[in-house]
Amino acid sequence: MPSLWQGYYLDGHTAIRHPVTIQFATTALHIVKADGNTIDWPYGKITQTQGAYEGEQIRLEYGGPLPQTVIVEDLAFLTALQQAAASNAAHFHNPQQRPLRLRLTILAGIALLGVTACFYVWGIPGLATFLAPRIPVSWEEQLGASVLAQLAPSDTRCVDLNRFPALETVVARLSRAMPDSPYRIQLTVVDNPVMNAFALPGGQVVVFRGLLEATETSEQLAGVLAHELQHIYKQHPTRAIIEQASTSLLIAAVSGDFTGALAYGIEGARLLGVLRYSRLHEDEADREGLRLLQAVGIDPAEMIAFYRIMEAQHPHEAVTPSSLSTHPDTNERIETLIALAGPPPPHPVKLFSQEAWKDLRSLCRRPVAATSQIPTDTAP
Amino acid sequence: MNTAVAMDTFVRLSCARCSTSHRVRDIYILKSGMKAACTSCGAPFAVVAMPDASLDEIVPSHAVQEIPQQDQESVDQEVAQVERAQRLGSKVERAVFHGTGGTLFGIHLVNTLLTIVTLGFYYYWAKVRVRTFLFSQTEFAGDRFSYHGSARELLNGTMKASLIFGIPYYFLENIGHFLEANMAIRVTLQIAAWLLLAIFIPVAIVSARRYRLSRTAWRGIRFSFQGKALDFIKLWLSGYVLTAATLGLYYPYFSTKKHAFLTTHSYFGSEPFKFSGDGATLFRPFLMMYIPVVMTALIAGLALYFFVDFPLKNVGDLETMGSLVIGAVAGLFIAVLGFRLLWLPYSVIEQRFFWEQTSIGSARFRLPITIWPYLKLKLGNLLFMLCTLGLAWPWITIRNIQFITDQLALVGKDNFDETVQAYDGAPPIGEGLDGFLDTGFDLG
């Protein structure tokens, strides 16, 4: 190994490159300029800023804030520096450790996969579980009200003063079974043929005319409402906001950037990511909704019967894998509910007679109309 | 009689009457018949003929005031000119990027792991590591760049920006939802939020540039940005208003003014960058993008308008109105798509123009990029990104950098050795609000 190294020196004041010869003294780097002037840099005070990766020159800096610099092309210089500086060389890159660094990087990649999976499976839902109950109910109510005003403007709502209060009694009956809940449930029926219902943060439940008219009995509507009410009690809409934001952050952290072309890739990953949370919420709302029905004495078979109506009118696309859907497969949901329902109650509660219900469910129409409507959207 | 001595790309003139010496930095701007006067004694100077006729055709700096040439032939000519300049002894300095996607991916893996494990805190350190790597791998005229920023500075920058802009903006934007406020108050709050954002964007652009340039060095000499944020806010706001008022037609002028401001206030050590471009040059290429986009939108809108047969008697018909709304949305969608596609060629012309109008000392930059390779690069990146759900970031970053460094050249540079350090090492901090605006922070 040579004892003299060629490089060049920058003084930090001008852009002139000074060719220099570098030698290793016992305690310092000995730099000799072309004009014979010499400079000594004690090893402990030198910083190496480049040369740790392939393709880089070796760049050593000394002093500051505008440091003097020595640049050497030959990578063997670093090995020689390690030997010369010995005990003072820990802060210089050692090229012999590059294979070790490669192994550590691969290990970091594996660890990253594990950590990302842990965050996704436990961390993010855990964060939502921790944060959601700590958000003031008044905030959720405000948010729910402002979303409701946009999604269901007041001129689209069905408010028949004779029939609407009767529908509200169904909600009241269910919510009485949860006396400790801080939420006041408010029902809105929207004049729209879509067969759907949804819950908003803070206690808003929206049912579309299409769904209401597709129910055969008041207990079937109670089944739908029990599911939506559990979304509210379990704070699913609020948790969904937290989960979506955290998933975006996690994906941005993994992919390194939010901008430009990346945004498209990230959006795809984010959607795939949050769909799983959405299906988990639906499962929970089904299970807890069924328990709520049982608590008020309604036969869960009514809820299951309505799911069958939905499945018949809006069959689950066979080509769509359930991992690409916001909702679990309806047939799977029905099977789970049947297993959970157990034997029917000996004296099931009947909320309204068949005749009374036919009138009530036509809330959005003046004359009593035919019940069948073409469904156009997803199930509750 | 005045004598002129050509030295590389600048000329030294000595006055025959008073014997004072004058230096013309850019020989390319001299043309036969140009006249001037000695600054000491007023003796007239005249360019009789160019000292070397071949130099005149090498880099016709002001001839580029014409519409930027876009076809392959003209780019080939430009490349040939650069090569000829090299043969004739005019210095042509080039950029080289040495880094590989694999190495950046390794750095990125470790960075990501540490960022997630520290719940995001490591983000700024990660940013510094990536920048240091990218700068170290970029060579210009035989020397590497170096990055001297620190994570602590980036963290401070984010804190400052959050305190002065982020928190007030978030407050103004959202407080309306939680207050039982009337419409007038909500609208006022929203306008205040937008105004704050309108000021924040130019401040952030200037601050980030000030910070980043002050932390970038080449041959140990720091770059710097000396423009005032207040001037840039004025330029930005007036440019925005004019662009909106002219339905976007002012954009090439606005864009050029922004670029000119950012460039002419940037320095390499003591040496300022210069910019000689005029937005008028970009107007025609801009129109070539603008007209098809507007026409497509109009035709799409009109076609749907006639398709739904919209006579005046149906004005109150909800379904007809609905079809019209769908038509308008479809027209808008097509226009946006067309805009995005046509923007890429315009962006090539703009980037080339901006570089070619930029000079330092007597040397001028050249970036002979063409539309098709750029289109291939960007569409390839998009596809690559979509297929890997964002994981291809390191390779895409390097593809983008190499596309530029492979073609960037600086023609006719005199000696860099004359450049001296202008930055004294102190952080760029002023006083008062103006002082804050000119602090120089970076959001990372």
Side-chain angles (χ1 to χ4, degrees), chain A residues 249-272:
Chain A
L249 276 178
L250 180 66
I251 293 169
V254 173
S255 64
D257 208 339
F258 299 84
T259 48
L262 283 161
Y264 296 95
I266 287 170
E267 182 58 21
R270 193 186 67 78
L271 272 176
L272 283 180

mmCIF file of all heavy atoms in Angstrom, chain A residues 249-272:
data_model
loop_
_atom_site.group_PDB
_atom_site.id
_atom_site.type_symbol
_atom_site.label_atom_id
_atom_site.label_comp_id
_atom_site.label_asym_id
_atom_site.label_seq_id
_atom_site.Cartn_x
_atom_site.Cartn_y
_atom_site.Cartn_z
ATOM 1 N N LEU A 249 -50.400 7.774 6.347
ATOM 2 C CA LEU A 249 -49.086 8.109 6.912
ATOM 3 C C LEU A 249 -48.133 6.914 6.809
ATOM 4 O O LEU A 249 -46.977 7.067 6.429
ATOM 5 C CB LEU A 249 -49.219 8.516 8.378
ATOM 6 C CG LEU A 249 -49.586 9.963 8.633
ATOM 7 C CD1 LEU A 249 -49.740 10.218 10.127
ATOM 8 C CD2 LEU A 249 -48.509 10.888 8.066
ATOM 9 N N LEU A 250 -48.661 5.725 7.150
ATOM 10 C CA LEU A 250 -47.816 4.526 7.118
ATOM 11 C C LEU A 250 -47.319 4.267 5.692
ATOM 12 O O LEU A 250 -46.129 4.016 5.474
ATOM 13 C CB LEU A 250 -48.615 3.319 7.628
ATOM 14 C CG LEU A 250 -47.879 1.978 7.650
ATOM 15 C CD1 LEU A 250 -46.746 2.010 8.661
ATOM 16 C CD2 LEU A 250 -48.827 0.834 7.972
ATOM 17 N N ILE A 251 -48.232 4.387 4.731
ATOM 18 C CA ILE A 251 -47.843 4.116 3.341
ATOM 19 C C ILE A 251 -46.879 5.192 2.843
ATOM 20 O O ILE A 251 -45.906 4.900 2.155
ATOM 21 C CB ILE A 251 -49.088 4.017 2.444
ATOM 22 C CG1 ILE A 251 -49.881 2.776 2.844
ATOM 23 C CG2 ILE A 251 -48.697 3.927 0.983
ATOM 24 C CD1 ILE A 251 -51.240 2.694 2.240
ATOM 25 N N ALA A 252 -47.138 6.435 3.238
ATOM 26 C CA ALA A 252 -46.226 7.506 2.816
ATOM 27 C C ALA A 252 -44.838 7.255 3.398
ATOM 28 O O ALA A 252 -43.829 7.471 2.737
ATOM 29 C CB ALA A 252 -46.765 8.851 3.273
ATOM 30 N N ALA A 253 -44.799 6.763 4.639
ATOM 31 C CA ALA A 253 -43.504 6.489 5.272
ATOM 32 C C ALA A 253 -42.776 5.374 4.523
ATOM 33 O O ALA A 253 -41.582 5.452 4.280
ATOM 34 C CB ALA A 253 -43.704 6.098 6.732
ATOM 35 N N VAL A 254 -43.516 4.341 4.115
ATOM 36 C CA VAL A 254 -42.877 3.211 3.429
ATOM 37 C C VAL A 254 -42.433 3.598 2.020
ATOM 38 O O VAL A 254 -41.361 3.244 1.568
ATOM 39 C CB VAL A 254 -43.835 1.997 3.378
ATOM 40 C CG1 VAL A 254 -43.249 0.885 2.531
ATOM 41 C CG2 VAL A 254 -44.106 1.494 4.785
ATOM 42 N N SER A 255 -43.256 4.393 1.328
ATOM 43 C CA SER A 255 -42.925 4.687 -0.066
ATOM 44 C C SER A 255 -42.086 5.948 -0.213
ATOM 45 O O SER A 255 -41.577 6.224 -1.288
ATOM 46 C CB SER A 255 -44.182 4.813 -0.902
ATOM 47 O OG SER A 255 -44.921 5.907 -0.453
ATOM 48 N N GLY A 256 -41.938 6.708 0.857
ATOM 49 C CA GLY A 256 -40.971 7.804 0.837
ATOM 50 C C GLY A 256 -41.481 9.150 0.388
ATOM 51 O O GLY A 256 -40.844 10.147 0.613
ATOM 52 N N ASP A 257 -42.623 9.207 -0.271
ATOM 53 C CA ASP A 257 -43.046 10.503 -0.797
ATOM 54 C C ASP A 257 -44.551 10.498 -1.044
ATOM 55 O O ASP A 257 -45.156 9.469 -1.196
ATOM 56 C CB ASP A 257 -42.311 10.754 -2.119
ATOM 57 C CG ASP A 257 -42.139 12.231 -2.381
ATOM 58 O OD1 ASP A 257 -42.896 13.009 -1.785
ATOM 59 O OD2 ASP A 257 -41.254 12.597 -3.162
ATOM 60 N N PHE A 258 -45.146 11.681 -1.091
ATOM 61 C CA PHE A 258 -46.579 11.765 -1.360
ATOM 62 C C PHE A 258 -46.865 12.313 -2.761
ATOM 63 O O PHE A 258 -47.983 12.297 -3.201
ATOM 64 C CB PHE A 258 -47.268 12.783 -0.449
ATOM 65 C CG PHE A 258 -47.203 12.526 1.013
ATOM 66 C CD1 PHE A 258 -46.116 12.910 1.766
ATOM 67 C CD2 PHE A 258 -48.286 11.947 1.650
ATOM 68 C CE1 PHE A 258 -46.098 12.707 3.128
ATOM 69 C CE2 PHE A 258 -48.267 11.747 3.013
ATOM 70 C CZ PHE A 258 -47.166 12.119 3.755
ATOM 71 N N THR A 259 -45.850 12.862 -3.392
ATOM 72 C CA THR A 259 -46.152 13.756 -4.506
ATOM 73 C C THR A 259 -46.040 13.096 -5.873
ATOM 74 O O THR A 259 -45.538 11.994 -6.006
ATOM 75 C CB THR A 259 -45.177 14.939 -4.471
ATOM 76 O OG1 THR A 259 -43.879 14.412 -4.317
ATOM 77 C CG2 THR A 259 -45.505 15.879 -3.352
ATOM 78 N N GLY A 260 -46.473 13.794 -6.899
ATOM 79 C CA GLY A 260 -46.311 13.391 -8.290
ATOM 80 C C GLY A 260 -46.917 12.038 -8.586
ATOM 81 O O GLY A 260 -48.006 11.704 -8.121
ATOM 82 N N ALA A 261 -46.194 11.275 -9.365
ATOM 83 C CA ALA A 261 -46.687 9.974 -9.805
ATOM 84 C C ALA A 261 -46.941 9.069 -8.619
ATOM 85 O O ALA A 261 -47.793 8.191 -8.645
ATOM 86 C CB ALA A 261 -45.660 9.331 -10.728
ATOM 87 N N LEU A 262 -46.188 9.306 -7.531
ATOM 88 C CA LEU A 262 -46.324 8.471 -6.342
ATOM 89 C C LEU A 262 -47.732 8.494 -5.793
ATOM 90 O O LEU A 262 -48.222 7.504 -5.277
ATOM 91 C CB LEU A 262 -45.374 8.997 -5.274
ATOM 92 C CG LEU A 262 -43.928 8.635 -5.480
ATOM 93 C CD1 LEU A 262 -43.063 9.547 -4.670
ATOM 94 C CD2 LEU A 262 -43.714 7.209 -5.091
ATOM 95 N N ALA A 263 -48.379 9.654 -5.898
ATOM 96 C CA ALA A 263 -49.694 9.812 -5.289
ATOM 97 C C ALA A 263 -50.652 8.733 -5.800
ATOM 98 O O ALA A 263 -51.466 8.220 -5.041
ATOM 99 C CB ALA A 263 -50.231 11.197 -5.584
ATOM 100 N N TYR A 264 -50.516 8.350 -7.089
ATOM 101 C CA TYR A 264 -51.437 7.363 -7.652
ATOM 102 C C TYR A 264 -51.201 5.986 -7.028
ATOM 103 O O TYR A 264 -52.133 5.312 -6.625
ATOM 104 C CB TYR A 264 -51.273 7.278 -9.168
ATOM 105 C CG TYR A 264 -51.646 8.557 -9.865
ATOM 106 C CD1 TYR A 264 -50.683 9.502 -10.182
ATOM 107 C CD2 TYR A 264 -52.969 8.819 -10.193
ATOM 108 C CE1 TYR A 264 -51.029 10.679 -10.817
ATOM 109 C CE2 TYR A 264 -53.318 9.999 -10.823
ATOM 110 C CZ TYR A 264 -52.340 10.926 -11.134
ATOM 111 O OH TYR A 264 -52.680 12.089 -11.745
ATOM 112 N N GLY A 265 -49.928 5.597 -6.992
ATOM 113 C CA GLY A 265 -49.592 4.308 -6.409
ATOM 114 C C GLY A 265 -50.030 4.249 -4.958
ATOM 115 O O GLY A 265 -50.600 3.263 -4.502
ATOM 116 N N ILE A 266 -49.769 5.348 -4.239
ATOM 117 C CA ILE A 266 -50.097 5.392 -2.823
ATOM 118 C C ILE A 266 -51.596 5.320 -2.608
ATOM 119 O O ILE A 266 -52.074 4.627 -1.725
ATOM 120 C CB ILE A 266 -49.517 6.677 -2.204
ATOM 121 C CG1 ILE A 266 -48.007 6.522 -2.093
ATOM 122 C CG2 ILE A 266 -50.123 6.970 -0.856
ATOM 123 C CD1 ILE A 266 -47.300 7.778 -1.730
ATOM 124 N N GLU A 267 -52.360 5.995 -3.448
ATOM 125 C CA GLU A 267 -53.813 5.997 -3.296
ATOM 126 C C GLU A 267 -54.341 4.573 -3.435
ATOM 127 O O GLU A 267 -55.199 4.143 -2.668
ATOM 128 C CB GLU A 267 -54.437 6.939 -4.329
ATOM 129 C CG GLU A 267 -55.939 7.070 -4.250
ATOM 130 C CD GLU A 267 -56.442 7.552 -2.901
ATOM 131 O OE1 GLU A 267 -55.667 8.159 -2.144
ATOM 132 O OE2 GLU A 267 -57.628 7.289 -2.596
ATOM 133 N N GLY A 268 -53.786 3.834 -4.412
ATOM 134 C CA GLY A 268 -54.215 2.449 -4.603
ATOM 135 C C GLY A 268 -53.925 1.627 -3.359
ATOM 136 O O GLY A 268 -54.786 0.892 -2.868
ATOM 137 N N ALA A 269 -52.716 1.768 -2.829
ATOM 138 C CA ALA A 269 -52.324 1.006 -1.643
ATOM 139 C C ALA A 269 -53.194 1.394 -0.451
ATOM 140 O O ALA A 269 -53.615 0.544 0.333
ATOM 141 C CB ALA A 269 -50.857 1.263 -1.330
ATOM 142 N N ARG A 270 -53.491 2.693 -0.338
ATOM 143 C CA ARG A 270 -54.288 3.156 0.800
ATOM 144 C C ARG A 270 -55.694 2.565 0.741
ATOM 145 O O ARG A 270 -56.221 2.083 1.742
ATOM 146 C CB ARG A 270 -54.374 4.680 0.791
ATOM 147 C CG ARG A 270 -54.907 5.274 2.075
ATOM 148 C CD ARG A 270 -55.105 6.760 1.938
ATOM 149 N NE ARG A 270 -56.160 7.073 0.996
ATOM 150 C CZ ARG A 270 -57.454 6.995 1.278
ATOM 151 N NH1 ARG A 270 -57.846 6.621 2.465
ATOM 152 N NH2 ARG A 270 -58.353 7.286 0.375
ATOM 153 N N LEU A 271 -56.288 2.579 -0.464
ATOM 154 C CA LEU A 271 -57.637 2.034 -0.609
ATOM 155 C C LEU A 271 -57.666 0.561 -0.228
ATOM 156 O O LEU A 271 -58.526 0.138 0.549
ATOM 157 C CB LEU A 271 -58.106 2.189 -2.055
ATOM 158 C CG LEU A 271 -58.796 3.506 -2.353
ATOM 159 C CD1 LEU A 271 -59.137 3.591 -3.828
ATOM 160 C CD2 LEU A 271 -60.080 3.617 -1.526
ATOM 161 N N LEU A 272 -56.699 -0.201 -0.750
ATOM 162 C CA LEU A 272 -56.629 -1.626 -0.411
ATOM 163 C C LEU A 272 -56.488 -1.793 1.093
ATOM 164 O O LEU A 272 -57.091 -2.679 1.692
ATOM 165 C CB LEU A 272 -55.432 -2.279 -1.101
ATOM 166 C CG LEU A 272 -55.589 -2.591 -2.582
ATOM 167 C CD1 LEU A 272 -54.318 -3.228 -3.105
ATOM 168 C CD2 LEU A 272 -56.762 -3.548 -2.797
#
